[in-house]
Amino acid sequence: MVFRCELKKVVDDTYDIEIGHGLQEKLVADLKAGLTGRRRFAVITDSTVEGLYAKDIFEMIKAAGFGAEMFVIPAGEKSKSRQMKEFLEDSMLEKGFRRDCAVIAVGGGVVTDLAGFVAGTFGRGVPFVNYATTLLAAADASVGGKTAVDTPLATNLIGMFNQPEKVYLDIDTWKTLPEEQIASGLAETIKHGCLGDRELFEYLEENVEKIFAGDVAACEYIAEHNCAVKYKVVMQDERESGLREVLNLGHTVGRAIETVSDYRLLHGEAVAIGTVAQARLGEKYGFVTEEERARVEALLERAKLPVRIPDYIDKAALVKKLYTDKKVRDGKLRFVFEKGIGEVVQFGENCFAKEIAENEIAEIIAQM
Amino acid sequence: MVFRCELKKVVDDTYDIEIGHGLQEKLVADLKAGLTGRRRFAVITDSTVEGLYAKDIFEMIKAAGFGAEMFVIPAGEKSKSRQMKEFLEDSMLEKGFRRDCAVIAVGGGVVTDLAGFVAGTFGRGVPFVNYATTLLAAADASVGGKTAVDTPLATNLIGMFNQPEKVYLDIDTWKTLPEEQIASGLAETIKHGCLGDRELFEYLEENVEKIFAGDVAACEYIAEHNCAVKYKVVMQDERESGLREVLNLGHTVGRAIETVSDYRLLHGEAVAIGTVAQARLGEKYGFVTEEERARVEALLERAKLPVRIPDYIDKAALVKKLYTDKKVRDGKLRFVFEKGIGEVVQFGENCFAKEIAENEIAEIIAQM
């Protein structure tokens, strides 16, 4: 006999991204007004952000009468690991955290990706809030609900889709970012321009230096446009069945080179190199003109990003690493390509990635 | 400014539980007909079930033209760990599994809980199917979508809600179960009777010995009633915000004693002791009569289950362990109680757990 479990329901994961300056007090006011519905908070941050912003936020939350503990992971991409997830879980359990808590992530993409994953499986899911302190987190991690850790064999392959209760993009925090971190965030921003927002791309061609100078209007412009591009894509395909793959532009080579570099390359730097590889291969296929490809490279360079593969990278290892990409199907490499600037190439119904022979991309890599 | 991410959608997690005898061929036929939509399968099982059923299923899947690999964990509750999850993930990645696979769990509750969790976070979620080979899995793990691992500090607190594509309850497999495993499954079955199905409870009072004898009709009856009770509760409260807590009857003491025994007690044995503790405390409150409490104890004993706390248990440690229960709120213990036989006590709107002072339950534990 067959017993049917009918489990159809409406899920509403709607949330707000608040973009502004110095949003610490707003966060605490929101928690007081019932954001997350919890009264005990695990503030998760890293060793860099702790002293800059997280400790203040943690103290403000306690001063508001809530229960709170702060948990600090070492800064850097290597913390995005199962071991660090376990460390946070054990630390939270030890401090008596159970299902009646919420997580407040304060930091960049590593912190928000990891803390969102911790929240998603702690007590089978507790609410979480992201307080993003980097341009990269603003560009990449704030929309889409992707959380994950890396493993020795693959980046971002262990994780879940988990939407926060709210995201704060505090543009003031970008002032304390080292230049290479601003550049890293710009890589994802330029990628967003390439794949879905020609206006954003051209705005950056006019104004990229203003971001480094901390120009308020320019920073707000890119924060908002990053959200809008990503949201437009994600809203149509939350689970990455097709369209969402376009966000992976530049990430096939990017993710692989990030790992092969053993994280000497920042995520954005790796994506910049991957975006160039994509544009060069795309030029061969006629998806972009030589002039468009040159504009992409030029903008990345003005954003102080690498557009060539560093000498210390083992190119054979890099090609092999491409096969750990999540777009791989039936053992075949698949790439997303921009179509000119501001659009992507569509290869079929709901299909935005093209199968590529290994030697085609190996040739591009050899030339870079 | 505020950017709103509207993410409202209809989710349909409906699935079938097929109850029958020797369902291996049906499973393979279903996969051929498109169940999971994948063509590459990770068959996850344990060292006991491997030779009994999993290897055959694995061979049949390969013979049907699919890609498949088998991954074997050591039998026993201790395998429900983050380390074993990591082992499975690394093994799958090493064999080239990516997001285009599905997981087939073949085994009891440990295997299905762990494999369901692995599937839920592998590539941010791949489909999975449960082929349940124990009465406990049939009674406990088949409805509700709960997946989890244990940690040194708490059982089942790291996990997620994740619904399978289909569940097979193969009653034939119960024949190879050791008697204490049948008993362990009966503990959850009796618990279901206590909390929501008086008819099931009374059927067991008439027929419990028939389950040990492998009587087909009796086995089918309890498989179906287990699904029905649990489904009735879960359908109304998938995320355990209130009503679903009733399934936790007997589990406050049960889960704690399971851990304190270092898993010398099987899950069902621990639940049996916990159910008695609950009934004894409930008798003090007048939720059950002395006669009803005695009927519960008598039925558990006829099901070859312990109704007293073994001598090797440190009772002080047990009381302390109660605080790791997931129903704990603001540091207070909370218990679910049956109301007579076949119902639970409701303590308020959407509230089915009562706050208990430590000394009240400590006294019951001391007497047991």
Side-chain angles (χ1 to χ4, degrees):
Chain A
M1 63 140 319
V2 171
F3 187 93
R4 169 152 293 195
C5 293
E6 292 268 4
L7 291 167
K8 195 170 174 174
K9 67 201 157 179
V10 177
V11 175
D12 190 351
D13 284 332
T14 297
Y15 67 93
D16 285 339
I17 302 178
E18 183 141 0
I19 303 172
H21 300 267
L23 298 168
Q24 294 93 338
E25 280 172 22
K26 185 63 170 66
L27 163 65
V28 176
D30 286 345
L31 294 178
K32 277 187 185 168
L35 180 66
T36 78
R38 306 299 166 99
R39 299 195 51 82
R40 192 157 189 226
F41 301 100
V43 177
I44 296 179
T45 190
D46 72 25
S47 50
T48 300
V49 179
E50 178 187 9
L52 290 170
Y53 307 106
K55 198 158 184 303
D56 285 349
I57 288 173
F58 167 60
E59 297 293 351
M60 287 166 73
I61 289 172
K62 280 199 297 185
F66 296 113
E69 297 284 348
M70 187 161 64
F71 304 96
V72 184
I73 60 170
E77 184 78 19
K78 284 195 176 176
S79 283
K80 228 175 103 170
S81 66
R82 291 172 295 194
Q83 289 67 34
M84 210 50 76
K85 177 169 185 276
E86 206 168 310
F87 160 76
L88 289 170
E89 289 161 356
D90 288 343
S91 305
M92 286 171 68
L93 288 168
E94 225 163 78
K95 292 281 186 189
F97 281 87
R98 293 295 177 268
R99 303 170 72 201
D100 54 346
C101 68
V103 167
I104 316 280
V106 184
V110 170
V111 169
T112 58
D113 277 17
L114 177 63
F117 191 20
V118 167
T121 68
F122 192 84
R124 293 203 184 86
V126 297
F128 74 109
V129 167
N130 284 342
Y131 195 96
T133 62
T134 67
L135 170 54
L136 185 58
D140 194 28
S142 298
V143 181
K146 280 189 172 187
T147 70
V149 294
D150 300 329
T151 75
L153 285 169
T155 53
N156 278 330
L157 254 164
I158 307 300
M160 63 190 293
F161 290 94
N162 193 20
Q163 306 294 344
E165 301 294 307
K166 186 163 179 179
V167 173
Y168 299 84
L169 301 187
D170 184 349
I171 291 172
D172 271 358
T173 64
W174 300 1
K175 289 177 195 156
T176 50
L177 287 178
E179 191 176 86
E180 70 266 24
Q181 289 286 353
I182 294 280
S184 191
L186 281 171
E188 292 283 356
T189 308
I190 293 166
K191 182 203 80 174
H192 282 152
C194 288
L195 72 89
D197 191 341
R198 190 184 177 89
E199 190 192 309
L200 171 61
F201 189 93
E202 289 173 348
Y203 180 89
L204 287 169
E205 286 188 316
E206 296 281 323
N207 299 290
V208 68
E209 284 77 16
K210 287 188 187 165
I211 305 299
F212 289 100
D215 180 273
V216 169
C219 289
E220 283 177 356
Y221 179 96
I222 66 165
E224 196 182 329
H225 275 253
N226 271 323
C227 290
V229 174
K230 202 159 176 191
Y231 176 63
K232 190 173 67 178
V233 171
V234 167
M235 201 182 52
Q236 292 172 66
D237 179 24
E238 194 200 350
R239 299 303 296 245
E240 210 164 18
S241 57
L243 179 63
R244 188 162 170 168
E245 287 193 329
V246 306
L247 295 172
N248 236 262
L249 187 80
H251 278 61
T252 318
V253 171
R255 278 284 178 205
I257 201 168
E258 184 180 10
T259 313
V260 172
S261 82
D262 198 26
Y263 300 102
R264 275 174 71 176
L265 287 170
L266 292 176
H267 179 69
E269 293 172 339
V271 168
I273 295 167
T275 302
V276 172
Q278 167 274 143
R280 289 180 164 226
L281 191 52
E283 188 189 344
K284 279 190 66 174
Y285 286 117
F287 298 145
V288 293
T289 64
E290 192 191 338
E291 183 245 339
E292 285 160 342
R293 193 260 306 147
R295 278 174 70 190
V296 171
E297 291 194 25
L299 181 55
L300 290 167
E301 283 198 281
R302 280 177 56 209
K304 311 189 188 205
L305 288 159
V307 294
R308 294 291 175 276
I309 295 170
D311 291 338
Y312 60 79
I313 295 290
D314 177 342
K315 288 184 175 176
L318 172 56
V319 170
K320 202 169 158 229
K321 197 74 192 174
L322 295 175
Y323 288 92
T324 63
D325 185 55
K326 64 192 168 186
K327 293 190 301 306
V328 165
R329 267 201 213 143
D330 303 320
K332 302 276 172 51
L333 299 174
R334 293 165 69 246
F335 273 68
V336 174
F337 290 101
E338 61 186 303
K339 181 175 158 190
I341 283 167
E343 281 182 78
V344 286
V345 189
Q346 183 157 7
F347 297 100
E349 200 195 335
N350 211 28
C351 175
F352 298 86
K354 179 180 166 61
E355 213 171 87
I356 290 294
E358 184 181 304
N359 68 309
E360 296 174 284
I361 183 63
E363 200 180 301
I364 299 286
I365 285 172
Q367 291 160 2
M368 286 179 65
Chain B
M1 63 139 320
V2 171
F3 187 92
R4 171 152 293 196
C5 293
E6 291 268 3
L7 291 167
K8 195 169 174 175
K9 67 202 158 179
V10 177
V11 174
D12 190 351
D13 284 333
T14 298
Y15 67 94
D16 285 340
I17 302 177
E18 183 142 0
I19 303 171
H21 301 267
L23 298 168
Q24 294 92 339
E25 282 172 22
K26 184 62 171 62
L27 163 65
V28 177
D30 285 345
L31 294 178
K32 277 187 186 167
L35 180 67
T36 78
R38 307 299 165 100
R39 300 195 52 81
R40 191 156 189 228
F41 300 101
V43 177
I44 296 178
T45 190
D46 72 25
S47 50
T48 300
V49 180
E50 178 188 9
L52 290 170
Y53 307 106
K55 199 160 184 304
D56 286 349
I57 289 172
F58 167 61
E59 297 293 350
M60 286 166 74
I61 289 173
K62 282 199 295 184
F66 295 113
E69 298 284 347
M70 187 160 65
F71 304 96
V72 184
I73 60 170
E77 184 79 19
K78 284 195 176 176
S79 283
K80 227 174 101 169
S81 66
R82 291 172 295 194
Q83 289 67 33
M84 210 49 76
K85 178 169 184 277
E86 205 167 312
F87 160 76
L88 289 171
E89 289 162 356
D90 289 341
S91 305
M92 285 170 68
L93 288 169
E94 224 164 79
K95 292 281 186 188
F97 280 87
R98 294 294 177 269
R99 302 171 72 202
D100 55 345
C101 69
V103 167
I104 315 279
V106 184
V110 170
V111 169
T112 58
D113 277 16
L114 177 62
F117 191 20
V118 168
T121 67
F122 193 84
R124 294 203 185 84
V126 297
F128 74 109
V129 168
N130 283 342
Y131 196 95
T133 62
T134 67
L135 170 53
L136 186 57
D140 194 29
S142 299
V143 181
K146 281 191 175 185
T147 70
V149 293
D150 300 328
T151 75
L153 284 170
T155 54
N156 278 330
L157 255 165
I158 308 299
M160 65 191 292
F161 290 94
N162 193 21
Q163 306 294 344
E165 302 294 307
K166 186 163 179 179
V167 173
Y168 300 84
L169 301 186
D170 184 349
I171 291 172
D172 271 359
T173 64
W174 301 0
K175 289 177 194 156
T176 51
L177 287 177
E179 191 176 89
E180 70 265 24
Q181 288 286 354
I182 294 279
S184 192
L186 281 171
E188 292 284 355
T189 308
I190 292 166
K191 181 203 80 175
H192 283 152
C194 288
L195 72 90
D197 191 341
R198 190 184 178 89
E199 190 193 309
L200 171 61
F201 190 93
E202 289 174 348
Y203 181 89
L204 286 169
E205 288 188 315
E206 297 281 322
N207 300 290
V208 67
E209 285 77 16
K210 286 188 186 166
I211 305 298
F212 289 100
D215 179 274
V216 169
C219 289
E220 284 177 356
Y221 179 96
I222 65 165
E224 195 181 328
H225 275 254
N226 271 323
C227 291
V229 174
K230 202 160 175 191
Y231 175 64
K232 189 173 69 177
V233 171
V234 168
M235 201 182 52
Q236 293 173 65
D237 178 25
E238 194 200 351
R239 299 303 297 246
E240 210 163 18
S241 57
L243 178 62
R244 189 162 170 168
E245 287 193 328
V246 305
L247 295 172
N248 236 262
L249 186 81
H251 277 61
T252 317
V253 171
R255 277 285 177 204
I257 201 169
E258 184 181 10
T259 312
V260 172
S261 82
D262 199 25
Y263 300 102
R264 274 173 72 177
L265 287 170
L266 293 177
H267 178 69
E269 293 171 340
V271 168
I273 294 167
T275 302
V276 172
Q278 166 274 145
R280 288 181 164 224
L281 191 51
E283 188 189 342
K284 279 190 66 175
Y285 286 118
F287 299 145
V288 293
T289 63
E290 191 190 340
E291 183 245 340
E292 285 160 341
R293 193 262 305 148
R295 277 174 71 191
V296 171
E297 291 194 25
L299 181 55
L300 289 167
E301 284 198 281
R302 280 175 57 208
K304 309 189 190 205
L305 287 159
V307 294
R308 293 292 175 275
I309 295 170
D311 291 339
Y312 61 79
I313 296 290
D314 177 343
K315 287 183 176 177
L318 172 56
V319 170
K320 201 168 159 229
K321 196 77 193 171
L322 294 175
Y323 287 92
T324 63
D325 185 57
K326 64 192 167 185
K327 293 190 301 304
V328 164
R329 268 201 213 143
D330 303 319
K332 302 278 172 51
L333 299 175
R334 293 165 69 246
F335 273 67
V336 173
F337 290 100
E338 62 187 303
K339 180 176 158 189
I341 283 167
E343 281 182 78
V344 286
V345 189
Q346 182 157 6
F347 297 100
E349 198 194 338
N350 211 29
C351 174
F352 298 86
K354 179 180 166 61
E355 214 173 86
I356 290 293
E358 184 181 305
N359 69 307
E360 295 174 283
I361 183 63
E363 199 179 302
I364 298 286
I365 285 172
Q367 292 161 1
M368 287 180 63

